[in-house]
Each structure stands twice: as structure tokens, then as C-alpha cells.
Amino acid sequence: MTATIVTPTAGRAIRRSLFWVGVVGVGVTVAVLMTALNGTVTGSERWDTSAAAPTGSRALVTVLGEQGIDVTVATTRAAVDSALSDARDAGQRVTLLVADGRGILDGDRVAGLTGLADRLVLVEPGVDTLDALDFPFATSRTVSGPIDSDGCALAAATRAGSVDGDAIVVYDTDVDDACFRTNGGAAVLTTTVDGAPVTVLGAGEALENGAIERGGNAALALGLAGEHPRLIWYSPGPADSDVASLAELTPGWVNPLAWLAAITLLVAAFWRGRRLGPVVIENLPVVVKTTETMEGRARLYARGGARLRALDALRVGTLRRIARTLALGAGAGVDDIITSAAATISADERALRALLVDTEPTTDAELVRLSDQLTDLERAVARRVAQGDDTASTERMNA
């Protein structure tokens, strides 16, 4: 048997690398899609002044700017303080609108914003926030609109006439200065804290692009946000969060240990990858003798003491060659071969079955004896068939 090892060509190398090229391509595609999706989600955050999505507030901010309102969007408390300082220096009256769509600010942080502007508007604040402000309310719930203003004292609510939305937050309260009352509660509350009015807007949908045109939402949103020449729109970001970052929670020894482990892994990979060197492939013909395979298998059988398995291999070969000698065809079974062989050499069929099927060797000497008997049987059948062919030829010649 001869086998030839061929050096890979450029085409084969390219075909082998196609899998990894595909893996890298899929990884890049997934990364691009994830980046795009994450960007879309971030841009669609509720009350985002730069988002044109239904939950954003770009439409309201754009209209306020067209009406001459000086709008400043702040994402940190430092930016809020800076904008308030600029407004005081310019002598402008200021509305501070807190749209905390991610719930970053706690009650104490919101309480720190009171008294800084001419009006503080809190969009759908949480219960803890109102508790920190000592706001006169009991509980809150959500209802669907529209809800009429019923002629309350707040000018923006009176001009709006009604507010509409699918999830309007209603605060159960007994204060007199409440607007859009329904079932013992109100969607808009106003009270004075630290000498300045604070308005709670439970109808946050009135600020959103997708609902600002419903009912009197536009009039309410423009009236509250555009009451004064300067509007500071405060959307708190992660910088104002009290939640500790992963870096703050990680012990100081973790980073050096992680870097050491990474460097060790890279060095070990380089060492293991280079210690045997590159694979060298040469065009060298290899010739293997068939007897080597036979002898190797025989040594394995002898080492494992597999006498029956070795004898069965010899029996299969003997049966195959006898069937071919007797012209029985590939479909002949063991019984057919034994019957034909016994009739050909005039032998006992049961003795042939014992030799070809039933007998199990228990010693090496018995295995050798049975092997010799198989050889003798095969020769006897071949000799008898050859004699039969000669007799038939002689009869044809005499005829």
C-alpha cells in the first residue's frame, strides 16, 4: 500500500481559513448590530430632549426654542448650578424642570433643588421624593385620560383645559391647589417649598413626542416649561447616581492580579505554540507492506490473549475463499458454504461446522492446530474442485 503526502497549496490554505474568516465576520456583524441597537435604545430614553422617538421630548424643546425660550439641557447637578448662576447674572427668571426618566435622584437630592429657581417642576416624581419634600399627599396610582382641569388656579392647566394619556399618575391629596382632579386625586399639584412654587406633574406623557398633541397636553407642557424666559431641563445622568461603580466595589489587589494572569496566559500560549516549531510537510512517498498490518494485528491479538477473535478472523477468510472456489456467490450463508464444502470433499458436515464455527481455542497450541486445519480444509476443497474440472475436461475430450 502506498500513500503520498502532498504539500498544501495556496487554494487549500485559503479554503481552510474560510471558517475562521466567517467566524470573524459574524462577530463583527453582531458587534455592529449590538452597537446600533444600544444606540437606538439610549436615544429613545423617556423625556430625552434629543430623541425623536415617541417617548422623547425633542418636539417640545424645539417649539420652546422657536418661541424664544432659552433652553439649557443639563445632565449633572454641576451643570444645573452653572446654568442657574448664568441666569442670575443675566437677571433672567428661571424654570427648573426635573425629568428623571431613569430614577437616578433620591428624595434628598431633589429636596436640594428647591428654592433655586422661580418654579421647580417635578415630572412624575417617586413617593420617596414627595416624602422628602413633605408634600401633602397620601398615595398615587395611574389612570387613563382625558381628565378635565376643572378651572384650577394654575394658569397653564386652565389654558390646557384637559390632559390626556394612557398612564397618568394621580396623587390622592386634599390640597386646594390641585388640577385635573379625578376620583379624589389630582394629576398636577402645586405647593410652596423654600419660598418658591414646586409643581408636581403626574401627566409625564404631556411632554412626550407621541402624546403631546393629545387633548390639551401641548398647552400644559408649553405653559409649565415656558413660563419663564429661561428653562433648565435637568435629566440626571450616571454621574449623579449614588450607586457604586464596579471599579469602586473592586478591591485594589484585583486589577494587578488580573493583569498578571493575563500576561502569564499570553506568555504560556506563546511558549506552547512555539516549542515544537512550525509543521513541515514534504512530498515523500511512503510504502507500507501488507504483511506489516497482518503481523501488527497478530501481535495485538497475542498480547491480549484474544485467541477466539484471531481464529474468527481466520475463519472468515477461509469461508470467503471457499465460497469463491465453489462459485457460491456473495449472498451465500455460512450454512450453505459448510454444506457445499462437505459435499465436495465428502466430509462430515458436523465436523466442518465445529471447525468453522463452534470450537473455541483455549490454548495457543489449539489455536495453531485449528489454523492448520482451516488451511488443510481450504486446500482440500480447492484440490477437489480442480480434480472435478479435469475430469469434466477428459469426458468432453473422450466424447
Side-chain angles (χ1 to χ4, degrees):
M1 181 176 62
T2 303
T4 302
I5 302 176
V6 181
T7 302
T9 61
R12 291 181 180 177
I14 292 174
R15 285 194 294 271
R16 289 179 180 178
S17 62
L18 285 179
F19 172 77
W20 295 109
V21 172
V23 170
V24 173
V26 171
V28 172
T29 302
V30 171
V32 171
L33 290 176
M34 291 299 295
T35 302
L37 291 176
N38 289 337
T40 302
V41 173
T42 302
S44 300
E45 182 182 348
R46 195 178 187 195
W47 304 314
D48 186 350
T49 57
S50 62
T55 57
S57 298
R58 181 177 176 179
L60 174 60
V61 173
T62 301
V63 173
L64 288 171
E66 293 174 351
Q67 292 183 350
I69 304 299
D70 187 1
V71 181
T72 300
V73 179
T75 57
T76 63
R77 174 59 191 272
V80 171
D81 294 338
S82 177
L84 287 171
S85 178
D86 293 342
R88 294 192 196 97
D89 294 342
Q92 293 178 317
R93 293 173 62 83
V94 183
T95 299
L96 175 58
L97 186 146
V98 180
D100 188 6
R102 288 180 285 187
I104 292 177
L105 299 182
D106 57 15
D108 294 336
R109 287 177 179 266
V110 175
L113 298 173
T114 59
L116 301 179
D118 295 283
R119 181 180 292 274
L120 175 62
V121 180
L122 304 178
V123 183
E124 295 186 6
V127 174
D128 59 336
T129 299
L130 297 182
D131 286 338
L133 296 176
D134 292 330
F135 228 85
F137 85 106
T139 58
S140 63
R141 63 184 187 278
T142 58
V143 299
S144 59
I147 305 174
D148 294 332
S149 63
D150 290 333
C152 65
L154 185 64
T158 302
R159 288 194 299 269
S162 66
V163 66
D164 197 0
D166 297 324
I168 301 175
V169 180
V170 173
Y171 302 92
D172 296 330
T173 180
D174 295 329
V175 298
D176 296 332
D177 197 359
C179 304
F180 305 104
R181 295 177 177 271
T182 177
N183 298 329
V188 177
L189 310 176
T190 301
T191 190
T192 300
V193 180
D194 293 338
V198 177
T199 298
V200 173
L201 176 62
E205 292 177 83
L207 310 180
E208 299 176 1
N209 299 326
I212 195 170
E213 295 182 352
R214 297 172 60 175
N217 291 353
L220 177 63
L222 292 172
L224 285 177
E227 181 181 5
H228 300 112
R230 184 72 175 266
L231 170 65
I232 301 176
W233 188 294
Y234 183 25
S235 295
D240 289 340
S241 176
D242 288 333
V243 179
S245 65
L246 180 61
E248 294 173 344
L249 296 175
T250 303
W253 54 267
V254 171
N255 284 340
L257 184 61
W259 279 110
L260 179 60
I263 294 173
T264 303
L265 179 62
L266 291 176
V267 172
F270 180 79
W271 168 63
R272 293 296 295 177
R274 297 297 300 173
R275 74 185 285 259
L276 297 177
V279 178
V280 178
I281 303 176
E282 300 180 7
N283 293 325
L284 298 177
V286 178
V287 178
V288 180
K289 296 180 180 179
T290 55
T291 56
E292 292 184 5
T293 303
M294 180 183 66
E295 292 173 356
R297 182 175 297 178
R299 283 192 293 269
L300 289 175
Y301 288 156
R303 186 181 305 168
R307 299 183 185 89
L308 180 59
R309 188 175 184 88
L311 181 60
D312 286 341
L314 296 175
R315 285 169 169 170
V316 169
T318 299
L319 288 169
R320 185 182 300 114
R321 287 187 292 272
I322 291 176
R324 186 165 55 247
T325 301
L326 297 176
L328 295 179
V334 175
D335 293 336
D336 297 332
I337 297 173
I338 293 174
T339 301
S340 298
T344 301
I345 63 176
S346 300
D348 183 11
E349 186 174 338
R350 287 177 295 180
L352 291 185
R353 172 173 289 279
L355 174 61
L356 293 170
V357 178
D358 298 332
T359 304
E360 297 184 6
T362 58
T363 63
D364 291 343
E366 187 177 359
L367 173 61
V368 173
R369 180 179 60 81
L370 292 172
S371 175
D372 292 340
Q373 290 179 3
L374 290 174
T375 302
D376 294 340
L377 173 62
E378 187 176 344
R379 289 175 180 174
V381 172
R383 188 167 49 251
R384 187 69 184 86
V385 171
Q387 290 176 357
D389 292 342
D390 292 342
T391 301
S393 299
T394 301
E395 293 175 353
R396 285 195 297 270
M397 290 177 63
N398 293 333

